[in-house]
Amino acid sequence: MNKLLAEEMYYLMVLGRAFEYAAKENYMQGNISGFLHLDIGQEALSVGAVKAFEKGDIFSGYREHIMAMSRGLEPKAVMAELFGKVTGVSGGKGGSMHLFEPAHFFYGGDAIVGGQLPNAVGCAYARAFLEQDEGVMAIFGDGATNGGAFFESLNIAATHKLPLLFLCENNEYAIGTNIQRTAPFREQAKKAEPYMMTYTVDGMDVEAVYEVVSEAKKQIESGHGPVFVEAFTCRYEGHSVSDANSYRSAQEMAHCKARDPIQRFKKALHEKWLCTNEEIQNIEKKAYEEVEDAVKYAEESPEPEADALFEHVFYEERENVVS
């Protein structure tokens, strides 16, 4: 990691938070329909993991806006997708939960909890079968580790020593239920220990996430088989915008926000990477302007035509999709 990358990751974190607040505002105004799951508070995990996993395939759940932009998808195309416009990532037909762009090897999100895991296993199997160098990362929440698809995926990936990184974002809530009411322990990595090497990391520390995912990526791509990483993080908002988050105490939320990942990394930019106030302010200004442009672009983009309902129903060949 170097100063240039540190500045880029700070930009993506500020961009992501501003993007999510803009999305929430437009949802309340009726400009965005359907479900909307915000990633506010979890920026360190989303940015650090995706930047560390620079090459290879990424499968994610539906809290994926910041991951998509960290992967290189244009903020204006992501916002337009949330607005349901034809210029969106998925042509306005997927919405918030279906940001899908094969050109960036980004196959998320998936609206089914844990539904991305078997798909990631299949992709990792193909990567191994074709003797390709890059691996696959599957990102999912702690609630997904209680599903059958999770254990089946661990079993197949370990049996075949697939190049697959399982990244669990443990914010301790499966929708509105605390993980300790649905699982026998807080640390979900314990479920993967019989199958593969596991790591835990502070998901509110972007540099720590970057380092652990970078190391795990090296291991899966050097033939050691799958690796499980658990990142402990904190979601500031409810499960979705329609969730008032009333089941969490003011004390719990204050504890979360005292560990704010953006403020923490801003301090590191000053003290470790020797960034000046002016440099940091310029990064923040650029991020806010990018979000303003994204909203304007989404507002002015056209709606899809009715005939678009019949497009992309069946498989269409892409350069990086195995037929």
Side-chain angles (χ1 to χ4, degrees):
M1 192 164 169
N2 53 43
K3 181 179 178 181
L4 193 63
L5 178 58
E7 290 176 340
E8 182 187 0
M9 293 205 297
Y10 183 70
Y11 166 74
L12 288 168
M13 292 170 72
V14 175
L15 172 76
R17 183 164 296 185
F19 183 97
E20 295 292 64
Y21 276 123
K24 181 179 181 180
E25 180 181 350
N26 278 278
Y27 187 92
M28 296 301 184
Q29 293 173 352
N31 295 325
I32 296 173
S33 302
F35 293 100
L36 184 67
H37 304 84
L38 302 175
D39 203 25
I40 299 168
Q42 300 188 171
E43 296 90 351
L45 192 163
S46 297
V47 172
V50 172
K51 292 307 295 179
F53 208 89
E54 197 165 13
K55 293 182 179 178
D57 306 289
I58 295 179
F59 291 77
S60 79
Y62 43 70
R63 203 178 303 282
E64 86 284 34
H65 308 157
I66 300 176
M67 295 174 197
M69 293 187 288
S70 299
R71 191 60 164 180
L73 277 68
E74 291 288 335
K76 63 182 183 181
V78 177
M79 187 63 81
E81 186 59 39
L82 270 55
F83 273 63
K85 299 298 183 69
V86 71
T87 53
V89 173
S90 302
K93 294 187 284 188
S96 168
M97 301 173 83
H98 301 282
L99 303 179
F100 192 90
E101 181 47 90
H104 286 81
F105 301 90
F106 188 82
Y107 309 101
D110 195 307
I112 307 300
V113 172
Q116 70 273 35
L117 295 175
N119 296 336
V121 170
C123 188
Y125 190 94
R127 287 276 192 186
F129 182 78
L130 296 171
E131 298 182 348
Q132 296 178 343
D133 295 331
E134 288 82 21
V136 178
M137 178 165 68
I139 307 171
F140 50 95
D142 46 274
T145 67
N146 294 326
F150 170 74
F151 291 98
E152 292 169 0
S153 297
L154 292 182
N155 184 63
I156 296 172
T159 300
H160 294 280
K161 294 186 181 301
L162 299 182
L164 179 54
L165 195 168
F166 292 89
L167 175 59
C168 176
E169 53 174 38
N170 188 345
N171 60 28
E172 300 194 0
Y173 284 89
I175 304 182
T177 304
N178 188 281
I179 189 65
Q180 295 189 65
R181 296 181 63 187
T182 59
F185 30 72
R186 177 174 177 265
E187 300 82 7
Q188 303 312 298
K190 292 180 179 178
K191 296 174 180 174
E193 285 175 353
Y195 299 90
M196 60 193 70
M197 184 176 291
T198 66
Y199 294 92
T200 58
V201 63
D202 180 357
M204 304 296 272
D205 182 342
V206 68
E207 292 182 277
V209 172
Y210 181 85
E211 296 300 332
V212 168
V213 172
S214 295
E215 176 60 30
K217 187 175 192 296
K218 288 179 187 173
Q219 292 188 24
I220 67 168
E221 293 179 350
S222 59
H224 291 292
V227 171
F228 188 99
V229 175
E230 181 172 18
F232 294 97
T233 185
C234 188
R235 189 188 77 202
Y236 288 5
E237 301 283 321
H239 173 68
S240 69
V241 175
S242 60
D243 174 2
N245 203 25
S246 57
Y247 43 84
R248 301 166 77 185
S249 68
Q251 184 180 18
E252 180 180 341
M253 295 310 302
H255 177 69
C256 276
K257 294 181 180 180
R259 302 160 56 212
D260 186 78
I262 293 180
Q263 292 305 316
R264 184 174 183 171
F265 194 40
K266 187 175 185 176
K267 185 178 179 184
L269 285 182
H270 277 299
E271 298 177 355
K272 180 178 179 180
W273 300 106
L274 305 179
C275 292
T276 65
N277 285 332
E278 184 179 6
E279 287 175 324
I280 292 175
Q281 288 167 2
N282 287 339
I283 292 171
E284 293 169 347
K285 181 174 181 287
K286 180 183 174 186
Y288 298 145
E289 290 176 350
E290 184 76 48
V291 172
E292 288 180 11
D293 290 345
V295 172
K296 186 172 186 293
Y297 178 81
E299 288 174 336
E300 295 176 350
S301 292
E303 305 277 352
E305 298 290 339
D307 289 346
L309 285 170
F310 303 100
E311 298 173 351
H312 308 128
V313 176
F314 299 106
Y315 163 76
E316 294 178 15
E317 188 166 354
R318 291 283 193 115
E319 183 180 349
N320 61 329
V321 176
V322 179
S323 60

